[in-house]
Amino acid sequence: MKVIIIGAGVLGVSVARQLAVAGEDVLLLDRSGAGTGTTATTFAWINSSRKPDPDYHRLNLAGMEEHARLAEQLPGAPSYFPSGALQWADAANERRLADNVERLQALDYPAHRVTPDEATRIAGDLRIPATITSIAHFPSEGYVLPALFVGNLLADAEQHGATCAIGEVMAIDDRPDGVSVTLAGGEVRRGDRVVLAAGRWTERLAARAGIDVPMVTDVGRGAQTVGLLGYARSPELDLRCVIHSPGLNLRPAAGGQAVLQALDLNADVDPEDPPSADGDIANTLARRFSALLPDPGRAPEIDLRVGLRSLPADGHTVAGYASAQSRVYCLVSHSGVTLAPILGRLVATEITTDQEQDLLRAFRPTRFTGAGRSDIEADQHATALGDQ
């Protein structure tokens, strides 16, 4: 079977690898290269911490478990780290944290309170502010290094025969006898199936094939899609897990560096006019980071990067064929990094066997058929402790 995958982000590459391992003929297309879209600007926290919908929680749990299995199979340096995560709450966030811990414990999701001394041992080289009144530990969570993770997936896909090429898709032609994609410049590629894994560009490309996949498309100042990350080059930090605090989220990066996220600052971020390295937003981020360092007197060096999230309009993953007759499989998710391993395996199984996978049943694009936009849209602004 010839499968054309549009989009070489973490989901597209994961599906490509699984299909190639299964012996299928795989062409992976991306207009700018693997992992250069939303995957390049993700906090990359592996979790199912705030997924109240039972089907979505179950899918994210499976994603967490699949990461551990996949890590034993992938070549290259380790890119997945089951580090656990900590959430620190002040008085304003204490009830929110307590309610979520109680909810997760009822679901047998590992979550429990810890003392500041325990949290310091878990977190590593950080100072817990005196304003923190409650701390919870989520030992089954973790993170990935996105560029390395995608690189390892792609290397294994290509080792098993997949081809990755640069090409901007202009049209998708879905016919009973096969499917084709037309690239900028007029080149046409034909196959038996297409996987549309184009992230935040999904709605536009799907529409060209007559398919409705409603996405959040606003990318203006403070939009739900906008997410600012800081990459702290110095000081080097012995950070051992993912941290969520009232003013700053952190995760480890390579070489003692850290990735920073301050959700409330996103409201002032304009992708068309990114914040400067010496502006108010950068200074606020640096000040909050310094407040958590053992030596707060040393000014950190932080690079800023503005990302745009891939947000289906109702907040839930989209995975499935556009219709019973379609040969176009639509795949997009806000939880792409957590779900990439499990979606890669399940989507590849559905494509190669035509057997419906139970975990994906609630996430078909056909759920949007006949629905008005106002009936499905969910507020996905990430602003509170534990949001993402």
Side-chain angles (χ1 to χ4, degrees):
M1 181 186 297
K2 174 76 172 185
V3 183
I4 302 171
I5 300 174
I6 302 172
V10 67
L11 292 183
V13 175
S14 184
V15 175
R17 175 193 172 272
Q18 289 285 357
L19 287 169
V21 168
E24 307 300 338
D25 183 358
V26 178
L27 171 62
L28 183 62
L29 293 172
D30 196 278
R31 67 179 184 177
S32 55
T36 56
T38 297
T39 301
T41 52
T42 173
F43 190 63
W45 170 35
I46 308 301
N47 77 98
S48 189
S49 180
R50 290 192 178 272
K51 308 293 194 299
D53 178 86
D55 291 321
Y56 198 37
H57 178 68
R58 191 160 62 108
L59 183 61
N60 278 267
L61 284 179
M64 296 168 68
E65 294 167 358
E66 195 74 13
H67 264 286
R69 286 191 286 268
L70 180 61
E72 297 178 355
Q73 304 169 16
L74 282 182
S79 57
Y80 161 66
F81 300 88
S83 63
L86 291 167
Q87 293 188 21
W88 305 348
D90 56 14
N93 290 280
E94 191 170 351
R95 174 46 54 192
R96 174 180 171 84
L97 179 59
D99 288 347
N100 197 46
V101 168
E102 183 178 349
R103 181 185 66 86
L104 291 172
Q105 288 176 338
L107 296 170
D108 293 325
Y109 186 93
H112 58 271
R113 303 287 191 91
V114 293
T115 67
D117 286 344
E118 290 171 326
T120 299
R121 288 194 293 271
I122 295 166
D125 208 9
L126 285 182
R127 187 166 61 89
I128 300 174
T131 54
I132 297 302
T133 58
S134 180
I135 304 172
H137 184 215
F138 305 86
S140 64
E141 297 177 358
Y143 67 95
V144 302
L145 302 179
L148 183 57
F149 183 47
V150 169
N152 289 346
L153 286 168
L154 182 60
D156 205 33
E158 292 179 329
Q159 180 67 31
H160 286 86
T163 300
C164 185
I166 300 295
E168 182 176 4
V169 174
M170 305 305 293
I172 304 170
D173 188 11
D174 186 8
R175 297 182 177 182
D177 60 342
V179 65
S180 64
V181 299
T182 302
L183 306 181
E187 183 182 3
V188 177
R189 297 295 189 99
R190 293 180 172 82
D192 301 294
R193 299 287 188 276
V194 160
V195 178
L196 179 55
R200 63 181 184 268
W201 297 280
T202 295
E203 180 172 338
R204 184 181 65 195
L205 285 173
R208 294 177 183 176
I211 300 167
D212 183 25
V213 181
M215 301 282 295
V216 180
T217 57
D218 181 10
V219 294
R221 179 185 296 272
Q224 299 175 71
T225 55
V226 175
L228 177 71
L229 293 179
Y231 294 79
R233 291 181 281 111
S234 71
E236 288 192 11
L237 190 65
D238 179 25
L239 180 62
R240 301 171 189 168
C241 71
V242 180
I243 305 290
H244 294 259
S245 77
L248 192 69
N249 301 333
L250 308 91
R251 72 156 169 86
Q257 299 181 7
V259 178
L260 316 177
Q261 180 187 61
L263 295 174
D264 62 307
L265 299 183
N266 291 338
D268 296 319
V269 174
D270 184 352
E272 292 297 318
D273 184 21
S276 63
D278 58 355
D280 290 343
I281 289 177
N283 290 334
T284 299
L285 195 65
R287 184 172 63 253
R288 293 181 186 180
F289 183 42
S290 294
L292 304 183
L293 297 175
D295 180 11
R298 181 179 176 184
E301 297 178 84
I302 302 173
D303 298 323
L304 301 182
R305 190 182 303 172
V306 178
L308 294 170
R309 298 179 173 97
S310 298
L311 299 179
D314 64 357
H316 290 161
T317 296
V318 178
Y321 288 105
S323 69
Q325 297 77 36
S326 179
R327 294 173 181 266
V328 177
Y329 196 107
C330 302
L331 182 63
V332 61
S333 179
H334 175 39
S335 302
V337 173
T338 293
L339 296 180
I342 191 64
L343 288 177
R345 178 167 65 80
L346 296 180
V347 171
T349 298
E350 292 199 331
I351 289 172
T352 56
T353 69
D354 288 326
Q355 298 296 311
E356 184 177 60
Q357 301 300 293
D358 178 66
L359 281 171
L360 300 183
R361 188 171 291 121
F363 302 104
R364 305 308 188 191
T366 49
R367 70 182 186 266
F368 300 121
T369 303
R373 186 86 185 203
S374 61
D375 296 328
I376 61 173
E377 283 186 323
D379 183 359
Q380 299 179 67
H381 280 99
T383 57
L385 181 70
D387 283 350
Q388 197 51 216

